[in-house]
Amino acid sequence: MLELIIFSTLNGLLYGLLLFLLASGLTLIFSMMGVLNFAHASFYMLGAYFGFQVSLYVGYWPGLILAPLLVGGIGALVERYGLRAVHKHGHVAELLFTFGLAFMIEELVQMVWGKVPVDYRVPDLLNFSAFTLFSTTYPAFRMFMLITSVVVFLGLLLLLTKTRVGLIIRAALTHPNMVGMLGHNVPLVFMMVFGVGCGLAALAGVIAGPALVTQPAMAASLGPILFVVVVVGGLGSLQGAFIAALVIGLVQTFAVAINVSVADVLAPLGITLTRDSMGGDLWMATVAQVAPIIPYLLLVLVLIFRPKGLMGYRET
């Protein structure tokens, strides 16, 4: 039991921090520009594939730097020549644009790299066990993922709260007209924020690609849950996104490990439920089987009882 708790906690933290790396960029974009970027997870996928391609020629570590820069540049161009052009038509046009962009990126990835997973391997420098506990080893690369995610969180927090650049970004979030009157190029700020957000998603793809499966479906598997993190954490709150990502990661990881159903809980009390009982298979479903819907249940509850999220400061 202790082994299960320790390793489930580590895996939950890892999954949560990976979600935060993705959600941090989306939080900045969503809160500053009001753009529901459905293609955000596609930039995560691009980061993994770009990192894989670069690693074939110059190794993993240059790819860790080059892939986020390339994807960030692509994201900045998308904002400048795509989103900015459709912005005048309202949020529905922006939503449809990013929705179509996600499909286009997925098709391009399949055309270039195929529909099967690519052989994106863990770098040799980190291809060993970090420690062994209860005869179970924990990979060093996963520890690298944990540390990188924490460093990114601290770096973003310091950037937004302790620097002049962060002050301009936060001011542009709430008072863009005033920031423009002070001589700052607000459209350029938006473009850079969008590019940085996409670059952060790509960074998550580069560090997650070797540990997970790098395939065209990787964007669809993580895309919907990013909006859960942003909404639960609170619009515009980096700290809220961090806490929400950790909570969702831990809850979902522990839920997957619990193979208990309602029928199992009620059986010792003398209440017998079968598939023929009212409700049928609902009583037979284990916590592990319903684990994928738990984050979305949390999203619904937050929208009902606290629309501004855990640490958000506005509801719209």
Side-chain angles (χ1 to χ4, degrees):
M1 180 60 70
L2 183 59
E3 179 182 2
L4 175 65
I5 293 174
I6 291 175
F7 282 98
S8 293
T9 301
L10 285 173
N11 290 330
L13 289 174
L14 179 64
Y15 180 52
L17 288 170
L18 175 63
L19 287 178
F20 168 74
L21 265 184
L22 280 161
S24 58
L26 185 59
T27 297
L28 293 175
I29 294 170
F30 190 24
S31 60
M32 173 172 283
M33 305 170 65
V35 176
L36 286 168
N37 183 15
F38 276 91
H40 194 74
S42 299
F43 291 106
Y44 155 75
M45 177 177 63
L46 275 182
Y49 275 98
F50 280 16
F52 162 72
Q53 195 64 43
V54 172
S55 68
L56 294 179
Y57 299 100
V58 291
Y60 175 82
W61 300 108
L64 183 64
I65 304 298
L66 293 176
L69 291 177
L70 290 172
V71 175
I74 293 174
L77 293 176
V78 166
E79 194 283 330
R80 174 63 182 85
Y81 297 103
L83 278 174
R84 194 176 300 182
V86 302
H87 177 70
K88 58 185 177 182
H89 300 296
H91 292 305
V92 174
E94 292 175 337
L95 186 150
L96 293 175
F97 174 83
T98 59
F99 192 72
L101 181 64
F103 280 99
M104 187 181 73
I105 292 175
E106 182 176 347
E107 290 298 323
L108 288 173
V109 165
Q110 292 182 10
M111 291 172 61
V112 176
W113 288 282
K115 297 183 179 181
V116 298
V118 297
D119 188 21
Y120 195 8
R121 298 185 180 183
V122 173
D124 294 335
L125 185 63
L126 294 175
N127 192 16
F128 63 92
S129 299
F131 60 87
T132 301
L133 189 64
F134 300 108
S135 71
T136 301
T137 60
Y138 200 77
F141 189 75
R142 287 180 175 263
M143 294 301 299
F144 166 72
M145 295 170 65
L146 281 168
I147 295 171
T148 302
S149 300
V150 172
V151 169
V152 169
F153 168 67
L154 294 176
L156 283 175
L157 192 61
L158 291 174
L159 175 68
L160 292 175
T161 59
K162 302 297 183 181
T163 67
R164 180 176 175 82
V165 173
L167 177 64
I168 295 172
I169 291 175
R170 288 185 291 121
L173 165 62
T174 54
H175 302 87
N177 293 331
M178 182 63 70
V179 172
M181 291 178 183
L182 291 173
H184 299 288
N185 189 339
V186 175
L188 179 62
V189 173
F190 285 174
M191 184 179 74
M192 296 305 296
V193 167
F194 195 90
V196 169
C198 294
L200 288 172
L203 177 62
V206 177
I207 69 171
L212 305 177
V213 180
T214 301
Q215 59 180 345
M218 64 190 301
S221 63
L222 280 182
I225 204 170
L226 295 183
F227 292 96
V228 178
V229 174
V230 171
V231 173
V232 172
L235 183 60
S237 175
L238 195 65
Q239 299 94 322
F242 183 75
I243 294 172
L246 290 183
V247 169
I248 291 172
L250 288 169
V251 168
Q252 201 161 15
T253 302
F254 273 96
V256 169
I258 301 175
N259 195 30
V260 178
S261 65
V262 174
D264 296 331
V265 173
L266 296 179
L269 302 177
I271 303 175
T272 302
L273 296 173
T274 65
R275 297 186 186 277
D276 297 327
S277 304
M278 183 178 296
D281 292 338
L282 178 63
W283 313 117
M284 303 293 111
T286 63
V287 176
Q289 290 174 323
V290 300
I293 70 171
I294 292 178
Y296 303 101
L297 175 61
L298 180 61
L299 170 66
V300 172
L301 294 175
V302 167
L303 288 174
I304 293 174
F305 297 106
R306 189 178 172 83
K308 64 180 181 180
L310 295 176
M311 300 183 69
Y313 50 86
R314 62 179 189 176
E315 298 185 7
T316 58

